[in-house]
Structure formats: structure tokens, C-alpha cells
Amino acid sequence: MRSCVVTGVSSGIGEAIAADLVKRGWRVFGTVRRSEDAERLDNDLGPSFTPLICDVTDVDGLSRAAARVADLLDGGALDGLVCNAGISLPGPLLHQSLDELDRQWKVNVLGQVATVQAFAPLLGAQEGFSGQPGRIVMMSSVSGKLAWPFVGGYAATKHALEAISHALRRELMPFGVDVVIVGPGPIATPIWEKSAGAVEKARYQATFYGPLIDLFEKEVLARAKHALPASAVAEVVHTALSAPQPKVRYTITPSPLMNWFLPLILPARWLDRIAAKRLGLTRKG
């Protein structure tokens, strides 16, 4: 039975990944922050799933979780680590609190590095390891390559995560541990409603951006209506974990021509005008 640790499995993409791997015959260890989520998933996913209660920003908690996985594997190695945990806290950068930006950075960047540091030895990233090396999947986003208004802080963390992933892949080559990036676009998960609802309107109401927050929320929710199911990401993650020669990066998004390929090749000023039109970001007077 192949084994994998998946972080952030309490809902959305993480839960879909855990459920998909269990159905495929994997043994899955999934991190959650709340005991009630651990109990629910333990009941729903069955004996092949083991919940790990810890937060990716808690280094000591991650160490304890890794030690528990090592004990349960009884000398065996991990085949995969999916660094999925992440948060999105939208807001205009001109006024967004540094605490919110810092929180996203701690979870989306430092938390992922801490997770890798805790579990990489079980994947084979250690001297003297003689088994089959495992593989790391880093959950990025289309925001890992593109940056849109009001999600600048989130996009910055995903840009950083991609840089870290490329560096890690090269640093881990001597151990045979590969690192694959998965970058979803709009996926039908609670993060869309959370992103729309996470903008505290009152905080920005007195600023220039106050009236534009409603447009941002409508844009977010409109994209959610055309989002792909989380199972689409789970399928790609399985490919990233199991393909003999995986791609360095997988992108999953509805309408890839409009949502991915064109934005990457169009001049930046053209994208500026598209954003201005959609979100009312035009100069007054």
C-alpha cells in the first residue's frame, strides 16, 4: 500500500485529494486543525485514512505529526507529500493590514517549507536512505504566475511558493525526491465564498476602493459558477504523484485559453486594461 501525507484536508481540494487517494488504495495521513474535522474524516474515509491534528505554522506540531507517521509506517517510507494547506485573505494592498499579509505568508510559504522539513526524511531526503524515494506535490495556483487586483498578498505567496518549489526540486535531486507543482484556477470549493466574504467592507468603505469591493465579490462569485470540481485537482495530483516522468508543473483551470494561456502571453498593459474594465479601476477626472 502506497502512503501519502496531505495537508489541509478538512474541506475543498485537500479533502478531495485525500478521498481520491484512499479510493485508489493509498494509505493517507491528513492534517486538520480541529478535532471535529479529524473525527468526521476518520469516519468518512475509513481505516486507510489517519487524521493528524496540527497546523502547518506550528513547527513542533509538525514534528510530532511526522514522528507519529514514522511510528505508524513502522520503518517504511512515505511515497508522497502533498502540501495543500493555504489561505486567501483579499484586500487592496494600499490599505490591507500587514498582519493579514504576514498571516498569508506564514501559512502559504513558511508553513509549506516547515512541512517539507518535517516530512522530507520519510520521503528519502536523508543520507543512508536505501528505499524508493517519494515525491512532493506543492499546491500553487494560477496566482503563482498571474496577479490580479485585491489578491496581491495571496498571489505574492504563491509566486514565492513556486520559486521555493523549483529550488527544492533541484536541491533534492541527490536524494531522488522530485517536486511537482500543481496550479489550480477556479475550483468549486468553499475558498471562493471565503475569499468573497473575507473582505471586510467596513474597513475599506471610506477609501477609494470601498465601492469597488462589491465588483470584486461579484467577479469572484461569477468565476465560482464556472469552476471545476475539486475532483479534477485530485486526479491531477494523483498523476503528479504516480506518473513515471511527471511534468514540472500542472495547471487545471476552466477555459484554459482565456484563464491561463492568453494572460501569460498578452502584454501586461493589456491585462491592466482588462482588470480596470472588470473592476472599475479607472482614473477619475
Side-chain angles (χ1 to χ4, degrees):
M1 180 181 288
R2 304 184 75 181
S3 60
C4 184
V5 169
V6 184
T7 64
V9 302
S10 61
S11 64
I13 291 174
E15 183 175 0
I17 293 169
D20 180 76
L21 289 175
V22 166
K23 288 179 182 178
R24 295 177 188 271
W26 287 60
R27 184 177 188 182
V28 178
F29 305 91
T31 74
V32 296
R33 291 184 297 162
R34 301 185 302 177
S35 57
E36 51 264 42
D37 288 326
E39 183 176 352
R40 172 179 58 83
L41 291 167
D42 199 17
N43 291 330
D44 290 349
L45 300 184
S48 293
F49 175 80
T50 301
L52 304 169
I53 301 178
C54 71
D55 190 306
V56 297
T57 62
D58 179 2
V59 174
D60 291 337
L62 285 169
S63 295
R64 290 192 295 270
R68 186 182 179 206
V69 171
D71 287 341
L72 292 172
L73 290 176
D74 193 24
L78 274 175
D79 296 287
L81 169 64
V82 181
C83 295
N84 167 75
I87 59 172
S88 175
L89 301 174
L93 287 170
L94 197 61
H95 303 286
Q96 190 169 22
S97 74
L98 296 183
D99 285 343
E100 280 193 354
L101 297 174
D102 182 60
R103 183 182 171 200
Q104 291 179 94
W105 188 266
K106 286 178 177 176
V107 174
N108 297 354
V109 182
L110 299 181
Q112 311 316 306
V113 176
T115 300
V116 170
Q117 290 178 346
F119 290 101
L122 292 175
L123 294 163
Q126 57 176 310
E127 293 187 72
F129 181 82
S130 59
Q132 179 67 32
R135 191 173 293 173
I136 299 170
V137 174
M138 302 294 267
M139 191 62 63
S140 182
S141 165
V142 293
S143 294
K145 297 290 186 182
L146 302 168
W148 294 104
F150 305 131
V151 288
Y154 174 76
T157 66
K158 291 302 184 180
H159 276 63
L161 183 64
E162 300 228 0
I164 285 170
S165 299
H166 289 303
L168 266 175
R169 188 177 64 257
R170 289 153 189 162
E171 291 177 7
L172 294 176
M173 288 173 65
F175 302 105
V177 176
D178 198 7
V179 179
V180 180
I181 301 168
V182 173
I187 304 297
T189 72
I191 195 172
W192 288 92
E193 288 75 15
K194 290 178 182 177
S195 292
V199 184
E200 297 180 19
K201 295 182 183 180
R203 192 196 313 171
Y204 304 118
Q205 202 60 49
T207 74
F208 168 84
Y209 300 103
L212 306 183
I213 298 300
D214 286 338
L215 290 176
F216 168 77
E217 290 183 344
K218 290 177 182 178
E219 181 75 14
V220 168
L221 295 176
R223 284 175 174 264
K225 292 179 181 179
H226 304 286
L228 294 174
S231 58
V233 182
E235 184 174 348
V236 172
V237 167
H238 179 258
T239 298
L241 286 170
S242 60
Q245 294 182 314
K247 297 179 182 179
V248 169
R249 191 186 198 282
Y250 292 87
T251 300
I252 318 107
T253 186
S255 303
L257 178 63
M258 299 300 294
N259 292 336
W260 181 245
F261 294 111
L262 282 180
L264 286 177
I265 64 174
L266 286 176
R269 297 295 186 187
W270 288 27
L271 295 182
D272 291 348
R273 288 193 285 271
I274 291 172
K277 183 177 181 181
R278 288 183 177 178
L279 298 175
L281 295 164
T282 54
R283 186 171 181 178
K284 306 301 181 182

